[in-house]
Amino acid sequence: MTGPKKLIFPHTASRRVVLHPASGTDQAGFAQIFVRTGVESVRPAVRPGRGTMRAHAAFHISTTATNERLGFAGLHALDPAGHVRCAVYLDPQRARLGVGSEAILLMINYAFATLNVDRVIGQTTEASFASFGITGGDKEIGALRDHMYFRGRLWDLHNFEIERPKWEEYIDRNATGVLPPPLSWRAAPPRPLEVS
């Protein structure tokens, strides 16, 4: 007989990146990241004013070593059905290979640890696959063909999702080495989340 599953805790730092709570003063930096990446529209089908882009968590991402700001991340569009969207935007001139995947892992874990959700959904184009560690083996739930125009061309918008049971299995088996030793996804971080 096995005991109850341990809780997931909201970690905001990995080996290479730290999530700092974002505020209204970070909006200019967020806009600059959009300009540098060429992203003109994240979800063009969403009509403004419907409340779907309301942030439930917003962070700026920096390196653990130098505190250099790399980009922004957030959780938005919390659905009553138990879904939330995860978004990570990194400055391509500053982000190093793999930091995007660590930021994504922190955000997915943060969603499951802090929100009553069953599924986390993300969208991206092939332009971001390398920085987020997406390979041909990763399974998408669908793609909207030629859905976004940036960098002078049309891009497919790829949709990915993970459900809570799969996430719990993943962190217990595959996500070792993301958090600095001796931390664990199932143990409280050593310090509370800093508010900047």
Side-chain angles (χ1 to χ4, degrees):
M1 184 168 149
T2 61
K5 261 221 189 247
K6 289 183 175 180
L7 296 173
I8 299 171
F9 286 86
H11 288 270
T12 56
S14 68
R15 288 180 302 116
R16 297 191 294 171
V17 298
V18 178
L19 305 177
H20 301 278
S23 67
T25 60
D26 292 311
Q27 289 178 353
F30 187 68
Q32 288 175 354
I33 297 289
F34 265 28
V35 169
R36 281 193 210 115
T37 58
V39 175
E40 296 173 18
S41 177
V42 179
R43 295 185 62 218
V46 174
R47 283 180 270 160
R50 300 191 81 196
T52 56
M53 293 301 282
R54 181 176 168 263
H56 296 282
F59 298 95
H60 59 87
I61 305 167
S62 63
T63 63
T64 55
T66 64
N67 207 31
E68 176 186 17
R69 191 170 291 190
L70 303 175
F72 291 87
L75 299 172
H76 63 93
L78 181 62
D79 188 287
H83 311 152
V84 71
R85 293 188 177 274
C86 174
V88 172
Y89 306 97
L90 296 175
D91 184 335
Q93 297 170 353
R94 293 190 176 124
R96 281 116 187 121
L97 188 62
V99 297
S101 60
E102 287 189 21
I104 289 282
L105 293 175
L106 288 172
M107 288 305 299
I108 292 171
N109 190 72
Y110 190 88
F112 285 128
T114 62
L115 299 172
N116 184 22
V117 293
D118 300 317
R119 181 177 301 160
V120 176
I121 301 168
Q123 296 177 311
T124 192
T125 66
E126 304 92 59
S128 301
F129 279 12
S131 67
F132 294 133
I134 297 172
T135 65
D138 291 311
K139 187 176 179 195
E140 65 183 13
I141 57 170
L144 301 171
R145 303 291 171 214
D146 296 333
H147 190 69
M148 295 182 65
Y149 182 83
F150 67 95
R151 295 185 186 168
R153 63 172 267 209
L154 290 170
W155 294 78
D156 296 345
L157 187 61
H158 298 269
N159 299 282
F160 297 89
E161 70 177 27
I162 188 161
E163 294 177 339
R164 184 179 289 273
K166 291 285 187 191
W167 176 251
E168 293 201 23
E169 180 183 319
Y170 180 82
I171 62 170
D172 289 339
R173 294 187 181 168
N174 303 320
T176 58
V178 175
L179 298 176
L183 298 180
S184 162
W185 298 102
R186 298 216 183 250
R191 59 184 167 72
L193 179 67
E194 294 176 8
V195 178
S196 55

